[in-house]
């Protein structure tokens, strides 16, 4: 979608062109996140919430700003620009004396200048800063109104990447909290918060920007175009800036679907991808049957997988429906809410009973019984790698 960036504004910016006195020739503005009150409500204190945000997306936005103005504004004939501009702004401009003429005069002068006479200074990408710290400043040296006029464009292209990177960081802090409680190391964290978000984003550009922002915290990502853009916009050289694994979907598992063909499909894929990670959707026919019958029958082939260069040889038994907690952990527990006057004794506890069905047992216990594993230094079970 190509839109002249001179029109990518909130309408009240039009009036500001006329509101600056002629004596003001220069402005110096800043973009500053003001509060994290919503994060404060959502993130429990044990996850080491520190009231900081991740700065990200400025470079993408500045490059895009320059490119769009060059291609869609300065390189277009003035008459063409003004015809579209006047037609678009007329319902928004109001009835002030000489307002439309003044606005058109200023836009004409900017077009004739041929470039944006502004200076943008910004914190380094990825900076971790307290709220109420300016992310960037804009100095406008020839048109007092121009810096403020660009606020909408800059904000709409920076706000969401900053928010995405900050949310991803908070997810990582939650994952790290539990990793330190239960795991021997944190090596898995960079892959644990994987980005599968592309199909739910507001267009490819949105997915790209937020995909790169997410990758400031996690390397796991299915967003190929975000990886491409990161390398070309930010110069990332490492091939593992963002990466994923071969994975099936239901259409693959449904090839002549029945229990025997599902087993044959998994068997064929194991041979096709004998090392590294292979993710297999297991709920196309009957998830619990796949875990309790098909996978045990392929145990030798699965355990014969060879590690790749990263030392990984996993077969992922992927549930793709149902309540994630129930599917992974099982349903053989009863929630009990305890309210106690003694500090530290109130909360939610679980009574665990003996599981009699696969659903009650859950995926982790089923896979442990089939493939085994080890007990780590903190006393937790770790599935066979």
């Amino acid at each position: 979608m190509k839109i002249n960036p001179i029109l990518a504004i909130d309408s009240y910016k039009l009036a500001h062109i006329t509101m600056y006195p002629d004596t003001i020739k220069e402005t110096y503005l800043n973009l500053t996140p003001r509060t994290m009150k919503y994060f404060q409500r959502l993130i429990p204190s044990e996850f080491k919430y520190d009231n900081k945000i991740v700065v990200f997306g400025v470079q993408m936005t500045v490059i895009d700003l320059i490119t769009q103005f060059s291609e869609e504004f300065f390189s277009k004939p003035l008459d063409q620009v003004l015809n579209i501009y006047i037609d678009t702004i007329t319902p928004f401009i109001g009835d002030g004396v000489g307002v439309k003429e003044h606005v058109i005069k200023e836009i004409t002068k900017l077009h004739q200048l041929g470039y944006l006479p502004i200076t943008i200074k910004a914190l380094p990408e990825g900076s971790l800063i307290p709220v109420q710290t300016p992310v960037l400043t804009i100095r406008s040296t020839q048109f007092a109104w121009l810096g403020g006029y660009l606020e909408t464009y800059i904000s709409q292209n920076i706000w969401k990447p900053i928010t995405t990177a900050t949310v991803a960081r908070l997810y990582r802090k939650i994952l790290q909290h539990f990793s330190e409680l239960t795991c021997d190391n944190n090596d898995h964290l960079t892959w644990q918060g994987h980005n599968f978000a592309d199909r739910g984003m507001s267009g490819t550009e949105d997915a790209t920007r937020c995909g790169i922002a997410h990758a400031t915290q996690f390397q796991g990502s299915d967003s190929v175009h975000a990886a491409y853009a990161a390398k070309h916009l930010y110069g990332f050289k490492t091939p593992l800036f963002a990466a994923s694994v071969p994975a099936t979907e239901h259409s693959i598992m449904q090839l002549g679907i029945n229990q025997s063909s599902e087993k044959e499909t998994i068997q064929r894929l194991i041979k096709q991808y004998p090392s590294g990670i292979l993710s297999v959707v297991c709920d196309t026919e009957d998830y619990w049957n796949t875990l309790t019958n098909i996978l045990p029958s392929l145990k030798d082939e699965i355990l014969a997988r060879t590690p790749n260069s990263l030392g990984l040889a996993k077969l992922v038994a992927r549930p793709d429906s149902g309540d994630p907690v129930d599917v992974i952990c099982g349903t053989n527990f009863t929630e009990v809410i305890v309210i106690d006057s003694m500090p530290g004794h109130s909360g939610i506890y679980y009574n665990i009973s003996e599981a009699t069905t696969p659903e009650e047992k859950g995926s982790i216990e089923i896979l442990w019984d089939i493939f085994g594993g080890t007990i780590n230094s903190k006393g937790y079970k770790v599935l066979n790698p």
Side-chain angles (χ1 to χ4, degrees), residues 107-242:
I107 297 301
T108 300
K109 286 167 57 179
L110 177 62
H111 187 275
Q112 291 171 340
L113 182 64
Y115 65 93
L116 294 172
I118 59 172
T119 300
I120 295 178
K121 295 194 293 184
L123 296 175
E125 296 277 39
S127 297
L128 191 61
I129 63 170
V131 291
Q132 302 183 359
T133 303
V135 170
L136 61 82
T137 62
I138 310 171
R139 182 182 179 188
S140 180
T141 54
Q142 297 188 40
F143 298 88
W145 53 268
L146 184 58
Y149 194 92
L150 297 174
E151 177 197 7
T152 305
Y153 190 97
I154 290 173
S155 180
Q156 68 192 188
N157 284 285
I158 289 180
W159 180 88
K160 194 169 183 180
I162 286 178
T163 302
T164 299
T166 302
V167 169
R169 176 176 179 260
L170 293 175
Y171 271 117
R172 183 160 181 141
K173 291 175 81 68
I174 293 171
L175 296 171
Q176 182 174 340
H177 171 81
F178 287 104
S179 178
E180 290 171 352
L181 289 176
T182 64
C183 301
D184 284 340
N185 60 62
N186 291 335
D187 294 345
H188 56 286
L189 287 184
T190 191
W191 308 106
Q192 198 171 5
H194 197 97
N195 174 19
F196 286 115
D198 277 9
R199 67 192 61 197
M201 303 303 288
S202 302
T204 303
E205 183 177 336
D206 185 34
T208 302
R209 291 177 182 276
C210 292
I212 305 176
H214 179 274
T216 63
Q217 310 299 314
F218 297 103
Q219 287 178 278
S221 177
D222 264 33
S223 186
V224 175
H225 47 90
Y228 169 85
K231 290 180 180 180
H232 288 267
L233 288 175
Y234 287 97
F236 285 101
K237 303 300 182 185
T238 170
L240 287 180
F241 162 74

Side-chain angles (χ1 to χ4, degrees), residues 16 23 31 55 101 107 120 129 137 151 159 164 283-284 292 330 345 362:
H16 294 179
T23 53
L31 183 71
V55 176
E101 292 75 14
I107 297 301
I120 295 178
I129 63 170
T137 62
E151 177 197 7
W159 180 88
T164 299
D283 71 330
T284 306
T292 58
H345 286 262

Side-chain angles (χ1 to χ4, degrees), residues 74-89:
F74 293 118
S75 65
K76 303 288 185 182
L78 178 60
D79 288 346
Q80 179 183 336
V81 169
L82 289 181
N83 286 338
I84 295 173
Y85 190 78
I86 294 168
D87 178 65
T88 305
I89 71 168

Side-chain angles (χ1 to χ4, degrees), residues 223-370:
S223 186
V224 175
H225 47 90
Y228 169 85
K231 290 180 180 180
H232 288 267
L233 288 175
Y234 287 97
F236 285 101
K237 303 300 182 185
T238 170
L240 287 180
F241 162 74
S244 191
V245 301
T248 72
E249 62 178 17
H250 288 121
S251 67
I252 300 297
M253 305 309 297
Q254 284 173 330
L255 300 174
I257 187 65
N258 56 50
Q259 291 182 19
S260 60
S261 73
E262 187 170 29
K263 176 181 176 179
E264 291 168 1
T265 298
I266 296 173
Q267 203 164 23
R268 175 173 57 83
L269 293 172
I270 290 173
K271 291 178 180 178
Q272 188 176 8
Y273 294 93
S275 65
I277 299 177
L278 171 65
S279 178
V280 177
V281 172
C282 290
D283 71 330
T284 306
E285 176 72 11
D286 181 339
Y287 177 72
W288 301 111
N289 177 69
T290 301
L291 260 61
T292 58
N293 290 310
I294 295 178
L295 293 188
S297 72
L298 298 173
K299 179 177 178 179
D300 291 342
E301 290 99 317
I302 292 171
L303 293 182
R305 295 181 63 75
T306 56
N308 62 8
S309 59
L310 297 176
L312 302 172
K314 296 181 188 297
L315 179 81
V316 179
R318 176 181 159 199
D320 205 46
S321 57
D323 183 287
V325 175
D326 289 347
V327 172
I328 295 169
C329 302
T331 60
N332 61 323
F333 59 83
T334 303
E335 184 176 300
V336 179
I337 300 177
V338 177
I339 300 176
D340 198 312
S341 59
M342 293 178 61
H345 286 262
S346 299
I348 300 175
Y349 300 87
Y350 298 96
N351 292 333
I352 299 177
S353 57
E354 188 68 28
T356 58
T357 66
E359 290 91 337
E360 291 177 340
K361 204 168 196 177
S363 304
I364 299 297
E365 289 292 344
I366 290 173
L367 293 172
W368 172 268
D369 288 346
I370 299 168

